[in-house]
Amino acid sequence: MTEKLTPVEERFANEVALGKSQAAAYRIANPKSTKWKDGSVYVKASLMMGNAKVKQRIAEIQQMLLIRSIWSREQSVIALKEVIDAPDRKSDVVAAVRELNTMHGFHEAQKIEHSGTVTSIERRIVDVAIKAVAGGQ
């Protein structure tokens, strides 16, 4: 594991590893920065990303998430292509194409209703996933 990071660096590394942009990750990691100008956030995020300890931590987290990945997007596409290439029924082709289109965002917008805030739901899922990966569970 990398050298000890500050709480801001650790949170930044987690958010970047999970796919957030550097600026978005910095704003999450350092809530005071939400009041800053975009340019200031970009500079600070870039500097943090240039930190060797932070880069190493991001790589560690991404590796842990990769190991925990059971089924990748690429595997899904390959499996669906196999169904299209050798279907049992004609309807299998339609279903596989429909699923591929959904995976790639080629469908009508859907209305999803929820209660609570999305960030709190997302945060809990991410926290649980990171704890599970870090704990080897």
Side-chain angles (χ1 to χ4, degrees):
M1 190 165 168
T2 57
E3 296 177 44
K4 185 98 169 124
L5 300 177
T6 68
V8 171
E9 290 170 335
E10 181 66 29
R11 183 70 186 263
F12 175 84
N14 279 292
E15 296 298 334
V16 170
L18 291 168
K20 294 274 194 307
S21 70
Q22 292 176 23
Y26 192 85
R27 284 188 172 109
I28 292 167
N30 184 359
K32 293 177 187 176
S33 67
T34 58
K35 297 178 183 176
W36 299 355
K37 292 182 180 178
D38 288 344
S40 298
V41 173
Y42 299 153
V43 169
K44 290 288 192 176
S46 181
L47 289 171
M48 189 167 289
M49 191 65 189
N51 180 325
K53 293 187 308 183
V54 172
K55 279 185 184 177
Q56 184 179 354
R57 182 65 179 138
I58 292 168
E60 287 174 357
I61 295 166
Q62 288 174 330
Q63 185 62 35
M64 287 188 291
L65 292 171
L66 182 63
I67 289 168
R68 298 277 296 178
S69 174
I70 296 171
W71 187 261
S72 72
R73 183 182 188 98
E74 182 180 359
Q75 288 169 312
S76 294
V77 170
I78 291 168
L80 289 167
K81 182 158 179 353
E82 289 173 2
V83 170
I84 293 168
D85 292 342
D88 290 335
R89 300 179 307 266
K90 290 182 181 181
S91 62
D92 292 345
V93 174
V94 173
V97 169
R98 181 181 299 124
E99 187 60 32
L100 283 168
N101 287 340
T102 299
M103 285 175 59
H104 295 291
F106 305 135
H107 56 80
E108 292 183 33
Q110 297 176 354
K111 182 178 179 181
I112 300 173
E113 294 186 24
H114 64 87
S115 62
T117 62
V118 174
T119 54
S120 67
I121 295 167
E122 176 185 85
R123 181 78 260 139
R124 258 184 284 143
I125 292 169
V126 169
D127 289 344
V128 168
I130 289 172
K131 285 177 186 172
V133 169
Q137 297 175 345

